Amino acid sequence: MSEKIKFAVIGCGHIGKRHAEMISRNEECELVALIDVKEKTTLGIDNYNVPFFSTLDDFLNSGIETDVVNIASPNGFHFEQAYNVINSGKNVVVEKPMALTKSDAEKLIFQALHKHKQIFAVMQNRYSPPSVWIKEMVESGKLGQIYMVQLNCYWNRDNRYYKADSWHGKKALDGGTLFTQFSHFIDIMYWLFGDITNIQAKFEDFNHANLTDFEDSGFVNFDFINGGMGSLNYSTSVWNQNLESSMTIIAENGSVKIGGQYMDKVEVCNVKDYEMPELAPTNPGNDYGAYKGSAANHHYIIENVVDVLKGRNTITTNALEGLKVVDIIERIYNLKW
């Protein structure tokens, strides 16, 4: 494929606009359409001179030639929209989570196989320098046997984020704190250490009773199928601003802690016969109003889509990995709901 890869984006909020921007910046890509239920004049997308549609069906029926549709709509729409895109014979890039249930994620994968189309799951934190570094540390065996892993995610999400007219906080559209806020970090944990079992959990809603349909905090502990034990401690009830997202690893040959607000800094590396290299700087978080997003690595996602569709590389986060993150979160939440 020597021609440009043609993209459409559905959902023109903060993340959708970031997708459109990264597509427009890539010389091998062409943005051919934008889709959103809101009025175009309210979305701040006037800088994109492409056709605009108010529904996915209108776009799919338009006949516009498209290779990929990027789905950046509310979580609760991801499955149905992705399924319809694949059914129409197009590849799909779907923001996390790819679905809100394992069964829906399985249906997506089955349909993609049936239609010979790709599902690209957006897990851009895998591209951050600390993530790339710790992946190599684990896979190379430098850490030896993994004993314990602790994942801490302590963020602020208050009425500046959970607004009455927003989909955030509504169970059917949001899915829950682990789906919307912390699935990237669960993905990193799964990517590094594999699946979990023997899950125990405790949940609490400290200060979101009037803001969300679900918990704001939880303690979760489990065993890794590959060996070792782990815990996930999370909360969005932190006052005023984010505190941290961190991963501490206790292993046979040493200890590592990756921290910062977005798990973007190596804070401790104490490993036998090993000297920590200097890592490339991590991209800053995106400023989403009063909040910052995870590492700004969406351009890597678009580059990977192009490379895969042009036969130059393999997919970075495949549909099965996207499904496993949904599966892990669903199994955790099944202990409550």
Side-chain angles (χ1 to χ4, degrees):
M1 294 177 66
S2 59
E3 299 176 359
K4 290 188 176 184
I5 305 295
K6 295 177 171 61
F7 289 81
V9 176
I10 180 166
C12 298
H14 293 300
I15 298 295
K17 280 184 274 201
R18 182 141 194 88
H19 280 257
E21 180 185 357
M22 295 301 103
I23 291 163
S24 299
R25 285 187 187 180
N26 191 309
E27 293 181 352
E28 295 186 276
C29 300
E30 180 183 356
L31 182 66
V32 298
L34 293 170
I35 308 152
D36 200 289
V37 294
K38 294 183 179 179
E39 292 289 332
K40 183 180 179 181
T41 54
T42 68
L43 293 169
I45 54 174
D46 293 337
N47 53 320
Y48 298 109
N49 187 25
V50 298
F52 177 81
F53 298 88
S54 57
T55 71
L56 177 61
D57 285 344
D58 286 347
F59 164 71
L60 294 176
N61 292 329
S62 71
I64 293 176
E65 185 181 346
T66 313
D67 301 301
V68 188
V69 177
N70 291 32
I71 296 175
S73 54
N75 298 349
F77 297 139
H78 289 184
F79 162 68
E80 182 179 356
Q81 290 174 346
Y83 190 93
N84 290 338
V85 167
I86 293 165
N87 199 43
S88 73
K90 297 170 177 56
N91 301 288
V92 66
V93 173
V94 59
E95 273 288 343
K96 55 81 183 169
M98 64 184 287
L100 290 179
T101 66
K102 179 185 178 184
S103 62
D104 280 348
E106 288 173 337
K107 290 174 188 175
L108 274 187
I109 292 172
F110 178 86
Q111 188 69 354
L113 290 169
H114 181 65
K115 291 286 187 175
H116 303 287
K117 294 300 169 183
Q118 295 277 11
I119 301 173
F120 298 86
V122 176
M123 290 296 181
Q124 76 272 15
N125 286 38
R126 292 187 181 195
Y127 292 99
S128 73
S131 296
V132 174
W133 170 77
I134 192 59
K135 177 69 168 175
E136 193 279 330
M137 290 290 287
V138 172
E139 290 202 337
S140 67
K142 291 184 179 71
L143 293 176
Q145 183 182 348
I146 303 299
Y147 296 154
M148 297 178 67
V149 177
Q150 183 181 51
L151 186 60
N152 290 332
C153 301
Y154 299 131
W155 281 7
N156 163 266
R157 291 293 184 268
D158 54 27
N159 57 9
R160 293 170 291 179
Y161 180 85
Y162 291 115
K163 297 176 182 177
D165 61 347
S166 171
W167 60 272
H168 294 297
K170 297 171 177 62
K171 182 70 168 25
L173 294 178
D174 186 311
T177 304
L178 292 179
F179 277 118
T180 303
Q181 264 64 58
F182 302 132
S183 61
H184 284 302
F185 307 113
I186 293 172
D187 171 68
I188 294 294
M189 184 181 73
Y190 170 72
W191 186 49
L192 294 174
F193 307 110
D195 206 354
I196 63 174
T197 188
N198 299 330
I199 304 169
Q200 296 178 302
K202 179 181 180 181
F203 304 95
E204 187 58 73
D205 190 359
F206 289 112
N207 59 12
H208 286 67
N210 297 321
L211 296 175
T212 72
D213 298 335
F214 40 77
E215 90 298 344
D216 59 33
S217 305
F219 286 156
V220 188
N221 59 74
F222 42 82
D223 295 324
F224 291 103
I225 289 175
N226 294 332
M229 60 184 184
S231 65
L232 163 62
N233 308 308
Y234 70 94
S235 182
T236 54
S237 62
V238 178
W239 179 76
N240 195 49
Q241 65 185 30
N242 292 348
L243 177 60
E244 70 166 353
S245 300
S246 69
M247 178 181 287
T248 301
I249 304 166
I250 310 298
E252 179 183 8
N253 296 331
S255 305
V256 173
K257 181 178 180 181
I258 302 173
Q261 284 192 56
Y262 312 109
M263 221 163 78
D264 55 356
K265 300 172 185 173
V266 179
E267 296 183 351
V268 176
C269 175
N270 181 25
V271 179
K272 179 182 177 182
D273 299 328
Y274 179 80
E275 186 173 338
M276 176 78 197
E278 184 174 347
L279 303 183
T282 301
N283 287 327
N286 310 318
D287 191 355
Y288 296 160
Y291 298 93
K292 290 184 179 292
S294 53
N297 292 320
H298 278 85
H299 62 288
Y300 291 121
I301 305 292
I302 303 304
E303 290 169 10
N304 182 243
V305 173
V306 172
D307 285 344
V308 170
L309 295 185
K310 293 198 171 191
R312 300 190 300 231
N313 205 344
T314 56
I315 197 165
T316 305
T317 309
N318 63 48
L320 184 59
E321 293 174 301
L323 176 146
K324 284 306 301 181
V325 173
V326 173
D327 172 45
I328 288 169
I329 294 173
E330 187 176 47
R331 280 186 283 143
I332 291 170
Y333 275 156
N334 279 345
L335 297 172
K336 177 188 180 186
W337 292 322

